[in-house]
């Protein structure tokens, strides 16, 4: 009797929890309009004056509704040391956006489908040697709704950067202006900062090697990935970047080293870094204070006893 | 007895025969390393929701906010830039010749204006855009940088707030405008 009742209760509990699991299992809803562009960057390293270059990329629809898209090109530059983008600044290094054309400037992509998009670069005869930079945008203002007016219509544009180079009298020059590591940190991440400058007329690459070693064990705690070691610098720009170890522990002592390489120049900085949260510093100071207080009180007590013994 | 022995020997012979037949197969087996190469290209994904219509009490000056959720994914280890500007040279909200002008500063009920700012709850927002209401730039002007984030991103979220305020004498109508949100890998 008891056994059968137990079985009944157990069966009931299993049924209840199974039902809850089904009800509460999260359903990740796909967005209606979602654009994926690949690759995110392309290099055209041989743009010969008077000749035509061709390229292609893919547009994917990772949403649930089809969308219409249109293609456009814009200049690409950066506007500060953080390398925030500008798609409106025109100079000698952004002429390529005018050379780009699209055999099929519009199209439609169905959900879970992709299209291959060709583009053509007609290089004029009289262009200077050096770098050329642009962004090709794929834009859609479909919002997936069937009628109804939105107060603010959103156009989504995903861009692919073009790094081009016209061969000829090119110049690769640059400097490493700074490379530093902070010694005392109240919290993660552990990081190193550097500033590099390009005085080239083509894009050049700065390379960063960042290592964190546990001070007590001597073991490697972190090294930046192979893929995150490089930053492309545009002509006549400065870039201030930071490499960091986001998953550093809240408390620790590390030996941190960063090496920056730019063309033939190398800068290495290495420091002992203390990651000490404020509560730990407070605890240490409190312990120190209490220790000093205890020592002083012991000395006073001893003196009082020795004086009392005299009398 | 001799029959039994004969059967055993015959059985062992069969087993030995199978074993011998297997030997050449195992002796001539060759291990070969096959290198599998998979090239994964860079990519970037953008999803942004358009704000729904908001109902404004036009006759009694009002203020309302709407938001647009932006989600970006990229395998570029240098991260991405998200920017916002008008999709055209028009930045005001328009309705049959009437307008709600785009202005810097927080919209206030009673004064016709609209502006936008980033939701500061999300990291990577440029420092002056998470506390300051800004006027939407024209398409030909430098777009506002909503986010400049380093590192690979997987459905990284950002939220843009649109604030709209009307004046006491704001003309009746449905006011609309457009923005362009761009995402480019760093």
């Amino acid at each position: 009797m008891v056994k059968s009742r137990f079985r009944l209760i157990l069966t009931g509990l299993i049924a209840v929890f199974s039902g809850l699991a089904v009800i509460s299992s999260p359903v990740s809803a796909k967005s209606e309009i979602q654009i994926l562009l690949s690759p995110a960057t392309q290099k055209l390293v041989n743009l010969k004056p008077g000749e035509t270059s061709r390229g292609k990329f893919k547009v994917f629809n990772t949403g649930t509704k089809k969308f219409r898209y249109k293609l456009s090109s814009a200049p690409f530059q950066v506007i500060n040391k953080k390398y925030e983008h500008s798609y409106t600044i025109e100079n000698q290094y952004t002429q390529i956006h005018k050379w780009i054309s699209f055999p099929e400037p519009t199209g439609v992509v169905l959900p879970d489908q992709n299209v291959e998009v060709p583009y053509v670069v007609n290089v004029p005869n009289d262009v200077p040697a050096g770098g050329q930079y642009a962004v090709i945008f794929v834009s859609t203002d479909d919002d997936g709704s069937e009628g109804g007016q939105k107060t603010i219509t959103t156009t989504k544009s995903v861009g692919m950067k073009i790094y081009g180079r016209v061969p000829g009298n090119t110049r690769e020059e640059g400097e490493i202006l700074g490379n530093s590591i902070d010694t005392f940190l109240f919290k993660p991440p552990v990081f190193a900062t550097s500033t590099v400058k390009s005085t080239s007329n083509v894009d050049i690459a700065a390379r960063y090697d960042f290592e964190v070693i546990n001070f007590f064990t001597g073991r490697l705690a972190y090294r930046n990935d192979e893929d995150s070691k490089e930053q492309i610098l545009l002509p006549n720009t400065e870039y201030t970047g930071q490499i960091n170890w986001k998953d550093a522990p809240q408390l620790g002592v590390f030996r941190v080293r960063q090496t920056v390489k730019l063309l033939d120049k190398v800068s290495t900085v290495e420091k002992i870094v203390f990651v000490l949260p404020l509560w730990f510093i407070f605890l240490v100071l409190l312990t120190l204070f209490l220790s000093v207080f205890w020592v002083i009180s012991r000395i006073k007590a001893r003196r009082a006893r020795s004086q009392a013994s005299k009398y | 007895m001799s029959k039994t022995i004969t059967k055993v020997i015959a059985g062992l012979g069969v087993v030995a025969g199978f074993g011998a037949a297997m030997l050449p197969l195992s002796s001539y087996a060759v291990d070969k390393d096959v290198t599998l190469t998979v090239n994964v290209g860079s990519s970037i994904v953008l999803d942004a929701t358009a704000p729904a219509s908001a109902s404004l009490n036009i006759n009694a000056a009002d203020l309302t906010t709407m938001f647009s959720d932006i989600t970006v994914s990229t395998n570029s280890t240098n991260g991405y830039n998200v920017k916002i500007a008008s999709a055209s040279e028009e930045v005001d909200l328009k309705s049959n010749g009437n307008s709600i002008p785009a202005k810097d500063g927080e919209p206030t009920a009673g004064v016709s204006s609209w502006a936008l700012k980033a939701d500061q709850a999300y990291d990577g927002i440029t420092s002056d855009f998470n506390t300051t209401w800004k006027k939407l730039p024209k398409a030909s002007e430098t777009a506002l940088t909503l986010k400049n984030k380093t590192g690979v991103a997987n459905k990284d979220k950002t939220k843009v707030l649109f604030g709209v305020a009307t004046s006491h004498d704001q003309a009746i109508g449905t006011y609309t405008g457009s923005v362009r949100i761009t995402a480019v890998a760093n």
Side-chain angles (χ1 to χ4, degrees):
Chain A
M1 184 70 171
V2 173
K3 269 192 183 172
S4 63
R5 198 176 280 178
F6 173 74
R7 273 195 207 132
L8 195 65
I9 293 167
L10 186 62
T11 308
L13 282 170
I14 290 170
V16 166
F17 283 114
S18 303
L20 281 172
V22 167
I23 291 164
S24 64
S25 60
V27 176
S28 58
K30 262 175 123 178
S31 299
E32 290 184 334
I33 302 292
Q34 201 172 72
I35 312 172
L36 186 153
L37 187 63
S38 184
T41 305
Q42 275 195 348
K43 291 191 176 182
L44 304 173
V45 296
N46 202 17
L47 296 171
K48 290 183 180 168
E51 292 190 7
T52 297
S53 290
R54 294 176 195 278
K56 59 186 175 184
F57 56 93
K58 284 195 173 179
V59 178
F60 296 76
N61 183 342
T62 50
T64 58
K65 293 201 170 189
K66 73 173 185 182
F67 62 77
R68 292 174 295 273
Y69 67 85
K70 60 182 179 184
L71 302 170
S72 61
S73 60
F76 173 61
Q77 283 291 277
V78 294
I79 53 177
N80 54 34
K81 292 180 187 178
K82 292 181 189 175
Y83 260 40
E84 286 179 14
H85 295 178
S86 166
Y87 313 125
T88 53
I89 292 174
E90 299 248 22
N91 57 34
Q92 66 200 88
Y93 302 112
T94 62
Q95 301 308 301
I96 185 174
H97 83 95
K98 300 175 192 170
W99 311 339
I100 294 173
S101 61
F102 306 99
E104 299 158 23
T106 61
V108 173
V109 191
L110 299 174
D112 295 327
Q113 301 290 314
N114 67 83
V115 296
E116 192 169 82
V117 178
Y119 64 93
V120 178
V121 184
N122 292 306
V123 187
N125 285 313
D126 56 342
V127 295
Q132 289 289 328
Y133 310 99
V135 177
I136 292 178
F137 282 113
V138 178
S139 302
T140 178
D141 54 13
D142 276 336
D143 62 4
S145 63
E146 302 288 343
Q149 198 168 28
K150 296 284 175 87
T151 304
I152 298 174
T153 305
T154 303
T155 297
K156 298 170 199 175
S157 294
V158 188
M160 177 183 74
K161 289 186 300 186
I162 298 286
Y163 288 91
R165 188 174 290 203
V166 177
N169 190 13
T170 58
R171 186 180 72 249
E172 293 188 355
E173 297 168 348
E175 294 175 59
I176 301 171
L177 298 179
N179 187 10
S180 63
I181 296 170
D182 285 359
T183 303
F184 291 100
L185 301 171
F186 293 130
K187 56 180 180 177
V190 174
F191 63 91
T193 307
S194 61
T195 300
V196 288
K197 180 178 178 179
S198 165
T199 47
S200 310
N201 67 346
V202 293
D203 49 283
I204 56 177
R207 188 174 169 85
Y208 305 85
D209 289 299
F210 181 70
E211 262 187 10
V212 181
I213 294 168
N214 188 305
F215 182 80
F216 299 108
T217 64
R219 285 191 188 151
L220 179 70
Y222 175 79
R223 178 182 284 142
N224 59 327
D225 295 334
E226 198 61 39
D227 289 340
S228 68
K229 287 176 180 284
E230 208 172 80
Q231 171 66 44
I232 304 294
L233 301 182
L234 295 187
N236 296 327
T237 59
E238 273 184 37
Y239 173 71
T240 296
Q242 190 184 86
I243 305 281
N244 61 59
W245 177 29
K246 287 182 185 169
D247 296 327
Q250 298 285 330
L251 178 66
V253 183
F254 305 96
R255 205 167 64 241
V256 182
R257 179 171 59 229
Q258 172 164 267
T259 300
V260 181
K261 294 174 187 170
L262 181 67
L263 300 171
D264 57 346
K265 298 177 176 70
V266 180
S267 167
T268 298
V269 63
E270 183 169 335
K271 274 194 182 173
I272 307 291
V273 174
F274 299 86
V275 183
L276 302 171
L278 282 173
W279 62 262
F280 181 80
I281 296 172
F282 174 75
L283 204 63
V284 166
L285 289 173
L286 183 67
T287 307
L288 208 64
F289 172 76
L290 289 173
S291 304
V292 167
F293 180 79
W294 180 79
V295 166
I296 291 171
S297 62
R298 288 277 294 181
I299 292 170
K300 278 186 177 175
R302 205 174 288 166
R303 276 187 193 161
R305 258 189 270 121
S306 68
Q307 276 179 354
S309 65
K310 278 181 189 173
Y311 297 108
Chain B
M1 183 73 168
S2 62
K3 277 188 182 175
T4 307
I5 292 170
T6 308
K7 281 178 186 172
V8 167
I9 291 169
L12 285 170
V14 168
V15 169
F18 273 122
M22 291 292 288
L23 273 174
L25 293 171
S26 61
S27 298
Y28 291 112
V30 174
D31 288 330
K32 189 175 177 183
D33 289 335
V34 177
T35 302
L36 186 66
T37 303
V38 178
N39 289 319
V40 178
S42 58
S43 68
I44 182 161
V45 185
L46 171 64
D47 178 27
T49 56
S53 293
S55 173
L56 296 178
N57 184 351
I58 302 295
N59 291 330
D62 207 346
L63 166 70
T64 190
T65 55
M66 302 172 281
F67 63 85
S68 179
D69 276 329
I70 298 165
T71 307
V72 177
S73 302
T74 180
N75 59 356
S76 166
T77 51
N78 288 337
Y80 66 91
N81 244 255
V82 168
K83 299 177 84 75
I84 188 167
S86 174
S88 67
E89 294 301 284
E90 182 59 68
V91 296
D92 297 341
L93 299 179
K94 292 286 200 183
S95 170
N96 296 325
N98 300 303
S99 62
I100 298 174
K103 290 182 182 176
D104 283 324
E106 185 172 2
T108 309
V111 179
S112 179
S113 76
W114 82 282
L116 58 149
K117 75 169 182 159
D119 188 333
Q120 58 190 312
Y122 300 93
D123 68 338
I125 303 293
T126 56
S127 58
D128 62 343
F129 200 9
N130 64 354
T131 54
T132 308
W133 289 88
K134 290 184 179 284
K135 174 186 169 184
L136 185 72
K138 297 177 183 178
S140 60
E141 295 173 333
T142 302
L144 294 170
T145 300
L146 193 61
K147 196 180 244 185
N148 180 9
K149 193 169 177 185
T150 56
V152 169
N154 183 17
K155 296 180 183 175
D156 192 45
K157 290 192 181 297
T158 306
K159 190 177 277 190
V160 182
L161 295 171
F162 300 92
V164 183
T166 52
S167 61
H168 294 278
D169 59 353
Q170 192 78 49
I172 295 170
T174 301
Y175 292 75
T176 59
S178 65
V179 299
R180 183 181 179 207
I181 296 172
T182 58
V184 179
N186 284 336

